[in-house]
Amino acid sequence: MEEGVQLTQAEVGHRYEVFHTDCPARGVVDHVTSRWGVWVLISLRSNDLRFYELRDSIQGVSEKMLAQTLRALVEDGLVWREVEPTTPPQVTYGLTEFGHDVGEPLTDMLDRITQRLPSRDPG
């Protein structure tokens, strides 16, 4: 194959042509790999969390950015959202099966990075 030639669906063997700018999978990848998307998926890997618990688990994220990130991940089918009709409403988030599939390699990557970093001096 010539260098620089786009692969067709048949050549790639995948459902989407991810290197095309109009590929719907690119939007999902953008949301997962956004500044906060990775942290949301990793935070939800073992427990469903309410909005404030999720916010507290991810230091540095604003409520606005967390809400935007969650909205995108819910639309992509990676995260589910449940609203309890209380006053104020309690909103809980968790990973869908798709979210678990995508989040697992992210968790593995984080584990590998933290295991390879040099030890920090506690002093």
Side-chain angles (χ1 to χ4, degrees):
M1 181 193 294
E2 294 178 29
E3 195 171 289
V5 174
Q6 288 289 333
L7 298 176
T8 66
Q9 268 183 274
E11 290 171 313
V12 175
H14 295 291
R15 187 171 166 191
Y16 296 104
E17 295 183 28
V18 296
F19 291 102
H20 287 228
T21 57
D22 61 347
C23 178
R26 285 182 79 152
V28 175
V29 171
D30 287 345
H31 296 149
V32 168
T33 60
S34 70
R35 179 170 183 185
W36 303 112
V38 170
W39 301 116
V40 167
L41 293 175
I42 290 172
S43 292
L44 291 173
R45 71 184 177 262
S46 56
N47 292 315
D48 303 337
L49 297 172
R50 292 200 170 126
F51 183 86
Y52 75 89
E53 294 171 322
L54 193 51
R55 183 200 62 211
D56 291 348
S57 74
I58 306 171
Q59 293 186 5
V61 67
S62 69
E63 287 190 14
K64 176 183 175 184
M65 288 309 304
L66 180 57
Q68 287 177 356
T69 301
L70 286 165
R71 190 174 309 115
L73 295 174
V74 167
E75 288 176 12
D76 292 337
L78 296 162
V79 171
W80 56 261
R81 177 182 190 263
E82 180 180 87
V83 179
E84 295 177 41
T86 59
T87 305
Q90 294 183 351
V91 183
T92 304
Y93 295 90
L95 294 181
T96 63
E97 184 179 339
F98 182 30
H100 279 287
D101 287 347
V102 171
E104 187 175 329
L106 297 175
T107 300
D108 291 344
M109 177 188 69
L110 180 64
D111 290 344
R112 288 179 183 169
I113 290 170
T114 56
Q115 289 170 4
R116 297 269 182 161
L117 287 175
S119 296
R120 294 183 67 178
D121 184 11

